[in-house]
Amino acid sequence: MTHPFLDLPPLTAERFAAIEDGVARLLDTRQDVLITQGEALLPLEGAIRAAAGPGTVALNVITGPYGQTFGGWLRDAGATVHDLSVPFHTAVTAGQIREAFAEHPEIDFVSLVHAEAATGNTNPVAEIGEVVRAQGALFYLDAVASVGAEPVLPDAWGVDLCVIGAQKAMGGPAGVSAISVSERAWARMAANPNAPRRSYLSLLDWKERWTDAGRKALPHAPAQLEMLALQACLERIESAGLETVMARHRRAALASRAGAVALGGGLEPYVHQERDAAPVATTLRVPSGVVASELVARALAADPALPLAAGGGALAKEMIRVNHYGADATRDAVQASLAALGAALAGQGLPVDPAAARRAVENVWR
C-alpha cells in the first residue's frame, strides 16, 4: 500500500529543532522549549511529577476541571497542597494569590490554568506572575487553550513551566504539545529524587538526551505527521501575524457574548464579567427548565459541524459552550452557532430574536 503521507522522508533532528524554535518565537521565550510527543496532558503531568514531590508546598488554583486534575497529581507526587477554588463563572485575582501566600508563606509551587475552555474563564497571569515572583515560588501554567487566542509570555510573566497545545486557538494538531522550562525549573527537577526517569513522562530524559546533547540526534522516532502539522500551524500564525490571530479570537468572543444576549430565549453569559471571559470559548447558561445537553443536540441536528458543546459533567445540564477557536474564530461560525441555538430555543416555545442577534454580531465584527 502506498500513500503520499507514507512516502515522506524521516523527520530530521535539524527540522525537529527548527519547529521547537518556532514555538519559542511564538512564546517570545529564551527558555528551553521541548516538543513532547503526545497530547498536552503528557507534559502537564510530566512537569508536575518532575518538579513537585515530598517537601513541596503547592498552591493549586482551581477555576475549572483542569485545576482539579492538577491537585490530584500534586498530591500523588507527595506535595502538600493548598487549593484555592473560585466559582467557575469568575477568575482568580492576584489579590487572592497574595492572600494565600500570607496565610501559607511556605508555598513554593503555584499551579494555574490560564484559560479554561471548559468553563469559559481566563485568569490574569501577568498580575499573578508578579505576586508569585515576589514570593520566589515556582510558577506552572497550563496555556493549552489560551495560546494563539491571547498573549502567552513565560519570560515576561515569570512562568517557569508553561505547557501549550496546538489543537485549540492555534488551529493545529492534538498529537504533539510543548513546554517551556526555566533554569529554576530544571534545577528543581534535578534536585527531586522522585522525578520520572527512563519514562515517557520524563522531561529530564529529554533534556539530557536531546537539549543538552545539542539537538543533534532524536531520542526516538517522532510523530512525523503531527510535527509537520505543527510546523505548518506555526508558519500560518507567523504569516498572518500573532496579533491578527488573537484579534480574531477576541472579536469572536465579544460577538458570541453580545449575540447571545441579544438573541434572548433566556440565554445568559456563564462568566459574569467580560474581563474574565476567555477569547477561546464563550460559555452560556441556559434558562430554567432547559437542559443544555438536549438543547445542543437539537442545534447540532441541523449542522453537526457547528462548534457547539454542552458543559462537561454536572455542567451538562446548565452550560453551553461556543468553541470559537482556530478555524472557527470567525463571524460566520458565530452567526451560525447563534442561529442554531435560536432555532432550538424557539422549538421549545421560548421567545428569541435572531435578527437582533445577527445585528449584535455584525456590530462587534466591524
Side-chain angles (χ1 to χ4, degrees):
M1 296 178 63
T2 61
H3 188 282
F5 284 159
L6 302 179
D7 294 335
L8 294 172
L11 192 72
T12 64
E14 181 180 15
R15 191 166 188 180
F16 193 105
I19 300 171
E20 285 185 336
D21 293 342
V23 173
R25 287 194 299 275
L26 176 69
L27 300 179
D28 194 20
T29 183
R30 298 175 64 87
Q31 297 178 4
D32 288 334
V33 169
L34 298 177
I35 297 179
T36 47
Q37 304 296 284
E39 201 270 339
L41 284 172
L42 172 64
L44 285 168
E45 181 176 357
I48 280 181
R49 296 193 182 277
T56 298
V57 181
L59 174 63
N60 179 52
V61 182
I62 300 176
T63 59
Y66 280 99
Q68 294 169 331
T69 298
F70 300 159
W73 288 339
L74 286 161
R75 290 180 174 89
D76 286 346
T80 298
V81 182
H82 300 287
D83 288 324
L84 171 56
S85 299
V86 302
F88 290 177
H89 62 257
T90 187
V92 73
T93 67
Q96 289 172 306
I97 302 294
R98 191 176 292 109
E99 289 170 5
F101 280 135
E103 186 175 354
H104 303 284
E106 69 277 16
I107 289 170
D108 61 1
F109 186 100
V110 175
S111 52
L112 175 71
V113 178
H114 188 183
E116 286 267 12
T119 51
N121 56 31
T122 191
N123 293 301
V125 183
E127 298 169 20
I128 291 168
E130 291 183 8
V131 178
V132 176
R133 192 161 49 239
Q135 179 73 12
L138 208 69
F139 194 7
Y140 163 102
L141 184 69
D142 171 354
V144 173
S146 57
V147 65
E150 53 188 309
V152 177
L153 301 167
D155 293 12
W157 296 344
V159 178
D160 297 286
L161 294 159
C162 182
V163 176
I164 68 166
Q167 68 266 36
K168 287 190 167 65
M170 290 176 66
V176 291
S177 46
I179 180 169
S180 65
V181 186
S182 73
E183 289 300 324
R184 291 198 325 142
W186 283 131
R188 182 77 68 93
M189 294 180 203
N192 180 9
N194 293 336
R197 301 307 302 266
R198 296 169 297 281
S199 164
Y200 204 60
L201 286 174
S202 178
L203 299 178
L204 287 171
D205 287 356
W206 266 99
K207 172 178 169 56
E208 290 182 2
R209 299 177 60 192
W210 170 245
T211 307
D212 290 352
R215 301 194 299 178
K216 300 298 184 184
L218 289 162
H220 56 69
Q224 173 156 320
L225 298 183
E226 287 80 2
M227 288 294 296
L228 295 178
L230 176 59
Q231 182 178 32
C233 170
L234 291 165
E235 290 173 348
R236 184 175 64 232
I237 292 172
E238 286 192 352
S239 176
L242 179 57
E243 286 295 332
T244 298
V245 176
M246 292 191 296
R248 187 161 49 85
H249 284 83
R250 285 194 297 273
R251 281 196 298 270
L254 292 171
S256 295
R257 193 176 179 92
V261 171
L263 179 64
L267 289 181
E268 297 178 349
Y270 185 84
V271 177
H272 294 182
Q273 300 296 322
E274 184 180 293
R275 67 173 183 271
D276 297 334
V280 73
T282 295
T283 48
L284 304 170
R285 189 184 299 277
V286 298
S288 176
V290 174
V291 177
S293 58
E294 296 175 359
L295 188 71
V296 168
R298 284 192 289 273
L300 291 176
D303 184 357
L306 291 173
L308 295 172
L315 297 175
K317 292 184 178 181
E318 62 181 276
M319 179 197 286
I320 292 170
R321 292 203 321 267
V322 184
N323 294 318
H324 43 69
Y325 53 70
D328 289 318
T330 66
R331 176 174 49 192
D332 289 347
V334 171
Q335 291 281 34
S337 296
L338 292 173
L341 289 173
L345 287 165
Q348 291 194 251
L350 293 166
V352 294
D353 190 343
R358 285 195 297 272
R359 288 194 298 271
V361 171
E362 292 298 327
N363 287 338
V364 170
W365 220 274
R366 288 176 182 169

